[in-house]
Amino acid sequence: TQLLEQSPQFLSIQEGENLTVYCNSSSVFSSLQWYRQEPGEGPVLLVTVVTGGEVKKLKRLTFQFGDARKDSSLHITAAQPGDTGLYLCAGGTPMNRDDKIIFGKGTRLHILP
Amino acid sequence: DAGVIQSPRHEVTEMGQEVTLRCKPISGHDYLFWYRQTMMRGLELLIYFNNNVPIDDSGMPEDRFSAKMPNASFSTLKIQPSEPRDSAVYFCASSLGGGNEQFFGPGTRLTVL
C-alpha cells in the first residue's frame, strides 16, 4: 500500500512567520499535487509537481518535489491569516493502470493574527 | 461552469434509514470520484468511475454502500442501512483524464443518529 505521510499534523503560528510542511513516502510518485481545503468546502488544487527536484512558486508559497520523487515540501513565507486551512498532498502512481491519486491526511494550519 | 454540484449539503438521519447522496460532475469530465472525509481517517477514496463505468470500488466499506453513474452528468452514493459510524463529510470530485487535477464539490455532511 502506498502511503503519504504528512507532517506536522497540526501547526499554529503567528502571522508573519515562515513555515514548512512535509509530505513523505517510501514509494515513488509520477507526480504530486498540493491542495488546500477551507472549512465547509472541498479541496482546491494549488500546484502539481512532476519532475524530481522541481520547484514551483505561487506568490508566498514554494513547493518542492524531492529528487527521488518520494517526498515534497511546502514552504510559506510571511504567513497570513488567509493561509489558514488544511493542506493535502496527493500522489499519482507511475506505471500502473490506476487513474486515481492517493491523498495524505493533511496538515491543519492555523495562522494567528 | 458551475463546478461540481452535490446535494444535499447536510443530511441528518436515524440509524437504519437509507441515505442517497447526489453529484453532478463538471460537464466534459470523464472521471468521477466519491470520497469520505473524517478527522480520524482523512480523505478516503470510496469508488471512482471512468466514462460512467465503475473502475475501482475497493474503498467501499461494505455492502451497505453502493454507487451508480447512470449517465455522464449524474452519480449517486447510497447507504442502506445507515449506521452512526457512517457520519462523515462525503465529497464528489471530477477530472478530465485520470491522475489530473480533481475538482471537488462542496461536500455533503452526513450525520447518522
Side-chain angles (χ1 to χ4, degrees):
Chain A
T1 302
Q2 294 157 315
L3 295 175
L4 281 167
E5 301 287 340
Q6 291 192 245
S7 61
Q9 290 186 346
F10 302 95
L11 184 59
S12 182
I13 64 170
Q14 290 292 137
E15 180 178 2
E17 294 184 2
N18 302 331
L19 67 105
T20 303
V21 298
Y22 301 92
C23 175
N24 296 298
S25 175
S26 58
S27 300
V28 175
F29 290 95
S30 59
S31 64
L32 206 131
Q33 300 173 1
W34 283 93
Y35 290 77
R36 179 168 64 205
Q37 184 179 14
E38 298 186 12
E41 299 180 8
V44 176
L45 182 71
L46 295 173
V47 77
T48 301
V49 286
V50 178
T51 306
E54 182 177 3
V55 176
K56 281 192 174 179
K57 292 191 175 183
L58 189 66
K59 297 183 181 179
R60 294 175 293 99
L61 279 60
T62 302
F63 304 84
Q64 184 162 9
F65 202 10
D67 291 341
R69 291 185 292 150
K70 293 182 178 181
D71 54 82
S72 181
S73 63
L74 160 58
H75 182 78
I76 301 179
T77 302
Q80 298 179 3
D83 297 326
T84 292
L86 177 66
Y87 288 80
L88 296 160
C89 66
T93 53
M95 296 186 295
N96 70 7
R97 301 181 63 181
D98 287 345
D99 299 321
K100 61 189 177 187
I101 57 176
I102 299 169
F103 281 86
K105 290 188 176 181
T107 292
R108 197 167 295 276
L109 178 63
H110 185 57
I111 308 301
L112 303 167
Chain B
D1 201 319
V4 176
I5 299 173
Q6 290 188 248
S7 65
R9 290 296 309 273
H10 302 272
E11 177 81 32
V12 180
T13 189
E14 292 187 346
M15 183 174 63
Q17 296 298 306
E18 177 179 297
V19 174
T20 299
L21 310 181
R22 297 173 176 79
C23 175
K24 177 178 168 55
I26 291 174
S27 177
H29 281 188
D30 56 347
Y31 281 82
L32 184 141
F33 304 83
W34 281 102
Y35 292 91
R36 177 173 67 177
Q37 187 176 42
T38 61
M39 286 291 290
M40 288 294 296
R41 299 174 70 89
L43 196 63
E44 301 175 276
L45 177 65
L46 300 177
I47 184 172
Y48 75 96
F49 296 82
N50 175 217
N51 292 323
N52 314 337
V53 176
I55 303 300
D56 183 354
D57 65 354
S58 60
M60 297 285 260
E62 44 196 276
D63 292 345
R64 298 184 297 107
F65 285 68
S66 62
K68 293 182 180 180
M69 192 166 185
N71 57 63
S73 60
F74 184 65
S75 178
T76 60
L77 177 68
K78 186 175 293 186
I79 307 173
Q80 166 62 20
S82 58
E83 297 182 2
R85 60 190 168 128
D86 301 331
S87 297
V89 180
Y90 290 80
F91 287 102
C92 174
S94 69
S95 68
L96 183 61
N100 294 332
E101 176 181 4
Q102 293 188 10
F103 293 82
F104 284 77
T108 295
R109 180 172 295 276
L110 173 65
T111 302
V112 183
L113 303 174

